Amino acid sequence: MELDSKKIFKTLNPNKVWIPILFGVAIVFYRFYTDDSITYDNLNLIFSAKIIPFVLAILLILARFLGYMYRIRAISSEELSWGSSMYIIILWEFASAVTPSVVGGTAVAVFILLKEGINLGKSLAFVMLTAILDNLFFVVAALVSLIAAPDAMFPSNLTTIDGIEEGSLLFGGLKPIFYVSYLLIMVYTFIMFYALFVRPRAFKWFLLKVTSIRYLKKWRYRAYEYGNEIIWASANLKGKRLNYWINISLVTIFIWSVRYLQLNLLIEAYSENSLLDHIIIYSRQIILWITMLIAPTPGGSGFAEYFFEAFFARYLQDYTLVTMVLWRILSYYPFLLLGAIFLPRWIKRVFFKKQEKKDAPSDNA
């Protein structure tokens, strides 16, 4: 894994916040331009929200953040302080928000953990374990949703976005996009689980064997490095007790449940829906999220806003645009803002302050 500081800080660049913001804003302006029923007066609908679900939706930002902090501390067996956990989560989420999901922030996360005093083997283990836990949630939750209500998970009314007709190639491609994304996540998770917990050395052997093929030899050294990383990470996860795995699994379920319930609360703030409707809304978010994982834009920005209507307009009616904007503001933009604010402080904290301590004269001098 390349941990070049220059490349890392190209990702952790506060100026990158404008890219996903511009994608999202462009979609909102597009909706104003193409739909005559949407006017600036519609924005006044924001003030008609029911107070309790609206406030709860805001509070879930904090619940999600604390859940992330608690999980990284639990994964590290409390080697990380609460302060270190806060910086790690803010910058990790910031990196994920300013890069496409397929790129992710793995190298950035390992780099941040290293700078917070966690050795390379453990840093790799913690990041890989986090990815496996998150992916397992998607795989299981999506499977349960599809089994429970396969016909309700995908939008049936495909005319909710102006200019796109029912049965169009764009919407007709949603199911294939989802199933391709789902299959890729499932295969990747299985391979990572097997490599990390079952046969790490066999996985390294397989990588070296594959890259011994003539046309793949240029990746042989990279495969050798990655195989070693898997072995180091696996060694650092051995011997963990059952309560360790139960704890981090439950907090993972909590984190993603909170993340999805936020939209349920926003929809409840502007409309009346049954319990079954809310179950479908929750499940559709999982479908949309997995589909967004192969979006080429940073954090799926623009993609999420564009397809929001198709998935949730039937539950919101005239409040669709307002709810969509609020959903993205509450679920996506907080970590963009926090990352831009805390990145300079973190750089000063881990680079300059540690250097000052190193250069300070000792008492015995």
Side-chain angles (χ1 to χ4, degrees):
M1 182 177 294
E2 294 185 14
L3 295 176
D4 188 314
S5 296
K6 289 184 179 179
K7 290 183 178 180
I8 297 295
F9 284 113
K10 279 184 180 179
T11 300
L12 291 174
N13 183 350
N15 292 326
K16 284 193 171 184
V17 301
W18 297 109
I19 299 173
I21 289 174
L22 287 174
F23 274 115
V25 170
I27 293 298
V28 173
F29 274 101
Y30 172 77
R31 295 299 299 121
F32 274 111
Y33 180 77
T34 58
D35 194 337
D36 294 334
S37 66
I38 299 175
T39 66
Y40 288 102
D41 292 335
N42 289 80
L43 294 179
N44 291 326
L45 294 173
I46 192 173
F47 301 109
S48 62
K50 288 175 276 187
I51 297 299
I52 292 177
F54 187 80
V55 171
L56 287 174
I58 295 173
L59 290 176
L60 287 189
I61 301 173
L62 179 61
R64 172 187 161 198
F65 184 44
L66 292 175
Y68 275 131
M69 287 175 59
Y70 177 82
R71 182 173 70 167
I72 196 64
R73 282 200 84 220
I75 286 175
S76 72
S77 299
E78 299 188 0
E79 283 188 50
L80 292 165
S81 67
W82 283 107
S84 292
S85 300
M86 179 191 73
Y87 278 105
I88 289 166
I89 294 306
I90 289 174
L91 297 179
W92 192 345
E93 285 294 296
F94 176 76
S96 298
V98 297
T99 56
S101 297
V102 290
V103 175
T106 302
V108 174
V110 172
F111 178 80
I112 296 167
L113 284 163
L114 281 170
K115 292 301 178 183
E116 289 294 339
I118 304 297
N119 67 45
L120 180 59
K122 287 183 179 180
S123 296
L124 290 165
F126 298 163
V127 173
M128 290 178 185
L129 178 56
T130 300
I132 289 173
L133 288 169
D134 289 341
N135 288 343
L136 277 175
F137 176 86
F138 295 144
V139 169
V140 175
L143 183 61
V144 170
S145 298
L146 288 170
I147 292 173
D151 297 328
M153 292 305 99
F154 295 93
S156 57
N157 180 12
L158 305 183
T159 60
T160 54
I161 295 181
D162 185 62
I164 299 179
E165 297 179 355
E166 185 170 356
S168 68
L169 179 62
L170 182 58
F171 273 119
L174 268 180
K175 282 189 179 182
I177 289 172
F178 164 76
Y179 286 117
V180 168
S181 299
Y182 183 79
L183 182 62
L184 289 174
I185 293 170
M186 187 169 60
V187 170
Y188 172 79
T189 304
F190 173 78
I191 292 172
M192 288 304 299
F193 185 91
Y194 178 83
L196 203 56
F197 299 109
V198 183
R199 299 285 299 279
R201 293 189 180 277
F203 180 71
K204 179 184 175 181
W205 176 87
F206 173 76
L207 290 178
L208 293 175
K209 200 71 175 175
V210 169
T211 52
S212 65
I213 298 171
R214 179 180 175 183
Y215 298 104
L216 300 177
K217 281 188 176 180
K218 63 180 178 179
W219 289 292
R220 188 171 176 80
Y221 182 71
R222 185 72 60 85
Y224 172 79
E225 284 189 321
Y226 188 60
N228 284 338
E229 290 167 3
I230 290 289
I231 292 171
W232 298 337
S234 177
N236 280 282
L237 292 173
K238 284 184 178 178
K240 300 293 184 183
R241 295 184 177 181
L242 181 61
N243 63 345
Y244 173 87
W245 300 108
I246 293 174
N247 188 26
I248 61 176
S249 298
L250 289 177
V251 74
T252 298
I253 295 170
F254 170 80
I255 288 167
W256 286 103
S257 297
V258 162
R259 187 168 192 156
Y260 292 144
L261 284 172
Q262 191 171 56
L263 178 56
N264 285 77
L265 287 167
L266 283 175
I267 290 177
E268 184 62 25
Y270 288 104
S271 63
E272 296 287 343
N273 290 288
S274 66
L275 177 61
L276 178 60
D277 287 334
H278 278 291
I279 292 172
I280 294 172
I281 290 166
Y282 184 92
S283 300
R284 282 190 174 191
Q285 288 182 74
I286 299 171
I287 304 300
L288 178 59
W289 189 266
I290 291 176
T291 306
M292 284 169 55
L293 289 177
I294 62 173
T297 57
S301 187
F303 188 99
E305 290 88 347
Y306 194 75
F307 286 103
F308 179 88
E309 260 187 287
F311 277 86
F312 307 112
R314 62 172 291 190
Y315 306 103
L316 285 160
Q317 305 302 326
D318 294 335
Y319 298 92
T320 301
L321 184 66
V322 168
T323 308
M324 180 266 286
V325 172
L326 286 172
W327 171 59
R328 290 300 276 173
I329 288 174
L330 295 181
S331 65
Y332 178 65
Y333 292 111
F335 284 104
L336 284 177
L337 178 62
L338 288 171
I341 292 171
F342 280 88
L343 177 59
R345 299 182 184 184
W346 180 75
I347 292 173
K348 183 178 179 181
R349 176 174 178 265
V350 300
F351 288 96
F352 296 104
K353 286 189 176 180
K354 288 182 179 180
Q355 186 62 39
E356 287 172 7
K357 289 180 181 179
K358 185 178 179 181
D359 295 339
S362 64
D363 293 336
N364 297 325

